[in-house]
Amino acid sequence: MRIVMVNDCAHVGETLIKYLPEEFKVLHLKRSRKFFDKTFRIAWKILRSKGDLYHVHYLLQDCYLTLKFGKRPVIGHAHGSDLRETLHSRKWGWIVKYNLRNCDKILVAQPTILEIAKEYNETAEYFPIPYDPKLFYPKPLPKERKIKRIFLASKHDFKIKGTDKFLYALAKVNIPFELKTINYGKDAQKAQTLAKKLGLKAKFINKVPHEKMNELYWEADLVLGSFGVGQLDTVAIEAMACGRPVVHHIVKKFYSNCPLEQIVSVRECVNLIEEFLMDKKIAQKQVQVQFTYVKSVHAASVLANKLVEIIKKFS
């Protein structure tokens, strides 16, 4: 069976492709955010492609073009902002709604947006974010060191990722630590300014290739994910898979089986950070329950099998 996968988000598509059975031949049509590449070039690629099924990431122009060119069946894969924000946009909302109504199947990467999708398409189901266990796997926690290492993994977007709240929390932590974070996101400059204002010893590094992120997780004593809208992000999943205690805010009613916390305040965040840094037994216990969860729910091998079952319904 020939699958055409269009676009990607947080490496979800390329991770799944690695674990699909050999009988599935996948053509992955990628694009950049440059104007020509995300308009005329991707349109030409989709038009020329031939497949038995189309799997499109993000319910925006790529999905719309796939449907308009008569490519069928189409699985539309929503990843968050397309349903959380763009759906309500005067300029682009109609495209998202058209895609929701006309795709043969809808997958959503976050349970927080599932009900929104179901309002337009009853086929919608939650499809967890996969991680690649060949890249992200557990290593022992670092040996005891006087100055702990913390990695703030999310891009700096104060509204969605809440990285500013983490900086405020870190300023109240009474344990010596060094902070490393990626100089990436619309609020990256604001984050640097805030970290300096708060007196944090923070190193802002350049973006690294996805396959190098594991090294950043492994060298840390603790990984911070997001403190924003409460959805489970890729960085938190990968860090848990790498065997590091993770502090990451989730809305618990949507992730009842996930061993992360619904963090209600900066003070609670400070307490979690200090607990994991001070007590290695607590940290190791957290690592164990986190890994058990991600291995059973988010491993790419598990989710590739789930995708195969979905695809087979169209064959």
Side-chain angles (χ1 to χ4, degrees):
M1 188 175 191
R2 186 172 177 81
I3 311 297
V4 179
M5 193 169 288
V6 185
N7 200 5
D8 208 341
C9 177
H11 308 280
V12 168
E14 66 180 38
T15 299
L16 288 169
I17 289 170
K18 291 180 185 179
Y19 290 85
L20 288 173
E22 291 184 1
E23 61 263 29
F24 288 83
K25 308 301 180 184
V26 184
L27 171 65
H28 197 178
L29 306 180
K30 296 183 179 182
R31 65 167 177 81
S32 70
R33 289 189 171 187
K34 293 180 179 179
F35 176 77
F36 186 78
D37 202 40
K38 71 179 183 179
T39 53
F40 301 108
R41 183 171 284 125
I42 192 63
W44 180 244
K45 288 179 179 179
I46 295 169
L47 182 62
R48 292 187 62 195
S49 66
K50 294 181 180 180
D52 301 303
L53 180 139
Y54 288 74
H55 184 164
V56 190
H57 295 273
Y58 266 113
L59 303 186
L60 297 174
Q61 70 269 24
D62 306 332
C63 189
Y64 180 78
L65 289 168
T66 303
L67 290 167
K68 282 297 183 180
F69 289 151
K71 308 294 185 178
R72 292 286 184 175
V74 177
I75 297 175
H77 202 144
H79 287 273
S81 61
D82 41 0
L83 298 193
R84 193 177 57 246
E85 298 171 12
T86 312
L87 176 68
H88 307 291
S89 163
R90 289 185 178 182
K91 188 175 183 179
W92 305 113
W94 65 273
I95 289 182
V96 180
K97 292 172 185 175
Y98 178 89
N99 294 335
L100 280 170
R101 293 186 178 112
N102 289 279
C103 280
D104 300 285
K105 176 71 177 178
I106 295 291
L107 302 179
V108 299
Q110 301 290 348
T112 53
I113 56 174
L114 179 57
E115 289 307 312
I116 298 172
K118 282 188 172 182
E119 289 179 17
Y120 297 87
N121 192 319
E122 62 182 12
T123 71
E125 69 173 281
Y126 171 46
F127 192 91
I129 296 170
Y131 74 91
D132 187 347
K134 292 179 182 177
L135 285 176
F136 305 99
Y137 52 88
K139 285 190 175 183
L141 285 167
K143 294 181 180 180
E144 290 293 339
R145 45 194 175 196
K146 292 182 179 180
I147 300 177
K148 302 294 185 178
R149 296 179 185 176
I150 299 174
F151 177 42
L152 174 49
S154 289
K155 67 179 181 180
H156 291 284
D157 182 328
F158 291 173
K159 180 181 178 182
I160 304 300
K161 303 298 182 182
T163 50
D164 55 330
K165 295 178 186 177
F166 274 135
L167 296 177
Y168 282 115
L170 289 168
K172 298 179 183 295
V173 170
N174 291 316
I175 300 166
F177 68 88
E178 295 174 345
L179 174 65
K180 183 177 285 187
T181 187
I182 299 174
N183 189 26
Y184 172 60
K186 68 176 186 179
D187 292 322
Q189 188 58 53
K190 289 181 181 179
Q192 288 190 46
T193 301
L194 180 59
K196 186 175 181 180
K197 179 181 177 182
L198 294 171
L200 294 172
K201 188 177 181 181
K203 183 178 182 181
F204 284 76
I205 64 172
N206 293 329
K207 284 183 68 178
V208 301
H210 183 237
E211 61 271 16
K212 295 290 185 180
M213 283 292 289
N214 51 12
E215 297 175 9
L216 294 173
Y217 299 132
W218 287 327
E219 71 179 24
D221 295 282
L222 174 71
V223 175
L224 305 179
S226 297
F227 195 170
V229 297
Q231 64 184 26
L232 184 56
D233 296 338
T234 300
V235 293
I237 293 165
E238 291 173 348
M240 288 192 283
C242 283
R244 292 299 173 265
V246 175
V247 176
H248 178 101
H249 166 62
I250 57 171
V251 178
K252 205 67 178 178
K253 71 176 182 179
F254 292 111
Y255 306 93
S256 58
N257 296 323
C258 181
L260 298 175
E261 296 293 327
Q262 180 166 327
I263 308 172
V264 298
S265 67
V266 168
R267 171 43 59 185
E268 184 179 345
C269 184
V270 174
N271 293 340
L272 284 171
I273 292 171
E274 292 186 336
E275 186 175 52
F276 291 141
L277 292 181
M278 290 175 63
D279 194 322
K280 195 161 188 176
K281 287 185 178 179
I282 292 177
Q284 288 175 331
K285 183 178 180 180
Q286 182 68 9
V287 164
Q288 290 172 357
V289 296
Q290 287 176 173
F291 183 69
T292 298
Y293 165 75
V294 295
K295 185 179 179 181
S296 63
V297 177
H298 294 277
S301 52
V302 172
L303 290 167
N305 288 335
K306 181 174 181 176
L307 183 59
V308 167
E309 294 304 309
I310 293 170
I311 291 171
K312 282 182 176 179
K313 293 178 182 179
F314 293 102
S315 61

